[in-house]
Amino acid sequence: MKKQFKREEWNKYRPEDWWEKNCPFCDTNSEEQKILIIWEWNFFHIRYNKYPYLGLEKHLLAIPNRHVVNSCEMIKEEQLELDYVRNFMKDYYKWEDYFSFLRETNGGKSLNHMHYHFLPGKIFDTDIENMLKKQWF
């Protein structure tokens, strides 16, 4: 059973320099991390977000297995494998609308390991800027 927590829990207890010393995305061998992973390839894995935005249970993350900070650091094989990630997401959300995003800058990131967010919903039906501001600031 996956364990998910409110986003506020992450912001409340995370030390300021936490992601510089410990990267939970790199530690995929712990039982706590294994439970969240739902698919793995050679260069990427997909997992549930342990601290999902707005408590959305279907908030998934696509994460490079190698510690990469920005997308421009990805090697060709990692970039090519993104097609598998996209196809997985298309099958996972099936008939549901979903959207994805990637934050490239370090300002406001909760982790310094690149990851794509995939969330259910229609981006044009909500004020995405205000929704995300509630989560990050």
Side-chain angles (χ1 to χ4, degrees), residues 51-121:
Y51 301 95
Y53 295 140
L54 302 176
L56 295 170
E57 189 174 309
K58 287 187 163 184
H59 180 174
L60 300 183
L61 303 173
I63 305 164
N65 295 333
R66 185 173 66 92
H67 192 88
V68 175
V69 176
N70 294 309
S71 63
C72 61
E73 297 173 17
M74 288 195 302
I75 59 174
K76 184 177 183 175
E77 292 83 2
E78 289 167 330
Q79 293 172 2
L80 292 172
E81 201 167 86
L82 281 173
D83 284 341
Y84 292 103
V85 169
R86 290 182 193 102
N87 285 329
F88 178 90
M89 294 303 177
K90 181 180 172 187
D91 290 341
Y92 178 82
Y93 287 107
K94 291 186 176 127
W95 308 109
E96 231 178 318
D97 288 319
Y98 68 96
F99 62 97
S100 64
F101 63 92
L102 167 70
R103 295 191 67 187
E104 291 283 358
T105 63
N106 287 334
K109 275 186 178 180
S110 56
L111 287 171
N112 202 18
H113 186 136
M114 185 191 90
H115 52 286
Y116 288 90
H117 291 264
F118 289 85
L119 293 101

Side-chain angles (χ1 to χ4, degrees), residues 18-54:
W18 191 88
W19 52 264
E20 293 175 7
K21 296 178 182 170
N22 306 289
C23 181
F25 292 166
C26 289
D27 178 20
T28 57
N29 292 322
S30 75
E31 286 304 314
E32 183 181 11
Q33 295 301 321
K34 281 182 183 178
I35 236 169
L36 298 171
I37 296 173
I38 59 174
W39 198 259
E40 294 180 85
W41 289 281
N42 294 324
F43 299 98
F44 271 87
H45 65 277
I46 294 175
R47 65 170 65 186
Y48 292 102
N49 187 342
K50 187 174 178 177
Y51 301 95
Y53 295 140
L54 302 176

